[in-house]
Amino acid sequence: MITVKEYAARRRDLMSMMAPNSIAIVAGAVEKIRSRDTHYPYKQSTSLSYLCGFPEPQAVLVLIPGREQGQCLLFCREKDKLRETWDGYRAGPDGAVVDFGLDDAFPIDDLDEILTGMLEGRERVYYAIGKDVDFDRRLMGLINQIRDEQSRGSLPPGEFIDLDHLINEMRLIKTASELKLIRRAGEISARAHCRAMKISQPGMYEYQLQAEIEHEFMVSGAAAPAYTSIVGSGKNGCILHYIENREKISDGDLVLIDAGCEYENYAADITRTFPVNGKFSPEQAAIYDIVLQAQLEAIAKITPGATYNVANDATVAVITAGLRDLGILDGEVNELIELEAYKDFYMHSSGHWLGMDVHDVGDYKIDNQWRVYEPGMVVTVEPGIYISPDNSNVAEKWRGLAVRIEDDIAVTKTGCEDLTAGVPKTRSEIEFLMAVEP
Ligand code: GLY
Ligand code: MN
Ligand code: MN
């Protein structure tokens, strides 16, 4: 759990980076209709969530460092007995102050009027332009209103600064309590993958394994999958973001499952690939072992001070050499790497930051140089080999094989910690788990 105190510390840290006489504005996410009167499950904007944890729609957080009447302010829906009967609890401005530790809160309906007054006379506005065009337009409208009043002495802000850049850099380094939540998301997700492996039988449908995975998420208290679960059997595994999950799984197929839950706003992201019938064929085993070796070598490189790209470079080296040894690539390894020959089979990079968003925020390069790993960063390591069913350049026995192995790795003071080690990944461990009765 992230405490009210930790949220307050985040806001304090952010405000300490803001210039004097400035204001930060963070708009919450907008609800989206799925079908007439029903909405997609609501997800608060991660920036607003990170700074105060307020979960309701129609919220705007405003930070004004140094403001005497209060620095941390929230606009939110008012309490409304009737609407609460239909749609659920609302904190209301008073509740927002008490429960979320804010200095003051106002009804969202008063936003334009109150915010205009707060903008007037501030030199700089920290705001994430371009994420919500309707809110962009609304904010520009308020600023233009102040500009129109200039002849009467109003002072419009003169400078916009990207707020997300500051928040994203903070979010990149996870605190102990954040790591605890990601670790928990990882444990639940690992259990879900084990459940799918144990229950898997030829003839099941991909969506049935998806249901097993997501059942484990929900009974463990996770709010939702952190992204749409991918359950690709056979050649469907070659589609990187395959989410139809409708096909019947044939005996002899591999199943690639990429699924992770979101637990208290933090994501896990795990991929495992296993034979539906519990036994790897020789071709499946050969490809699997290359991917596993690539993943293990990449993880071994992750340590404070190493540059971000060492993990990707390790996966490329192992996969290229492995495909060459199997005769799938032909040539000298360094040359094949230079020519990026592996990209026909390994077309994504080795991973991404992980946190409140599954593809989490934070720059990968600083001044065009790969940044270095620091304790508190969390990164996925997810090499894969995907041999298109249509690739006539490779022997038929390889076609349609797809393997990805993905774990979530936290950088520690002395190296790294695998947050998703609870699900096996060696072939013998997987075969053993699948052989045991569910
Ligand atoms: N689940 C999407 C990814 O692995 O990046
Ligand atoms: Mn994934
Ligand atoms: Mn991933």
Side-chain angles (χ1 to χ4, degrees), residues 111-182:
L111 177 79
D112 289 356
E113 191 187 326
I114 298 176
L115 188 56
T116 307
M118 290 172 172
L119 283 161
E120 210 269 318
R122 307 271 160 222
E123 283 172 42
R124 293 179 183 84
V125 181
Y126 289 81
Y127 176 69
I129 300 172
K131 273 181 33 181
D132 176 345
V133 285
D134 290 331
F135 198 85
D136 289 356
R137 202 171 299 126
R138 188 169 177 183
L139 183 58
M140 293 313 150
L142 302 184
I143 287 174
N144 280 334
Q145 225 171 291
I146 304 171
R147 285 184 183 141
D148 290 345
E149 300 280 322
Q150 255 171 303
S151 61
R152 271 161 284 193
S154 288
L155 283 172
E159 200 178 330
F160 269 78
I161 298 171
D162 181 27
L163 174 63
D164 272 358
H165 187 72
L166 296 180
I167 298 177
N168 295 352
E169 283 299 299
M170 292 172 66
R171 280 176 54 185
L172 181 56
I173 309 293
K174 276 75 182 173
T175 61
S177 45
E178 291 184 289
L179 285 170
K180 215 165 151 182
L181 294 175
I182 303 174

Side-chain angles (χ1 to χ4, degrees), residues 178-255:
E178 291 184 289
L179 285 170
K180 215 165 151 182
L181 294 175
I182 303 174
R183 200 176 284 119
R184 178 94 179 111
E187 281 163 9
I188 295 168
S189 305
R191 259 207 318 278
H193 279 264
C194 291
R195 182 185 176 97
M197 282 181 195
K198 285 203 259 187
I199 237 153
S200 143
Q201 291 287 340
M204 284 181 85
Y205 285 83
E206 293 165 341
Y207 56 77
Q208 292 178 314
L209 289 182
Q210 178 182 1
E212 296 297 337
I213 289 263
E214 293 177 11
H215 167 90
E216 196 65 46
F217 291 172
M218 304 306 266
V219 295
S220 305
Y227 51 94
T228 308
S229 304
I230 295 168
V231 182
S233 63
K235 63 179 171 19
N236 294 336
C238 295
I239 302 165
L240 298 179
H241 288 161
Y242 174 81
I243 52 171
E244 284 88 350
N245 304 348
R246 303 308 300 168
E247 212 153 303
K248 195 171 188 175
I249 310 171
S250 302
D251 197 5
D253 274 354
L254 287 176
V255 187

Side-chain angles (χ1 to χ4, degrees), residues 24-28 45 47-48 51 59-63 126-127 163 167:
I25 300 167
V26 190
S45 96
S47 292
L48 189 139
L51 290 171
V60 176
L61 178 72
V62 175
L63 304 179
Y126 289 81
Y127 176 69
L163 174 63
I167 298 177

Side-chain angles (χ1 to χ4, degrees), residues 364-377:
Y364 292 86
K365 284 186 168 178
I366 294 174
D367 295 332
N368 213 25
Q369 301 291 319
W370 291 111
R371 76 187 305 156
V372 294
Y373 289 114
E374 296 172 45
M377 291 174 168

Side-chain angles (χ1 to χ4, degrees), residues 269 352 359 380 382 406:
D269 185 5
H352 49 84
H359 288 185
T380 68
E382 50 178 304
E406 174 174 27

Side-chain angles (χ1 to χ4, degrees), residues 388-399:
S388 163
D390 311 319
N391 190 337
S392 52
N393 296 326
V394 302
E396 202 164 338
K397 63 177 182 175
W398 303 117
R399 293 182 207 162

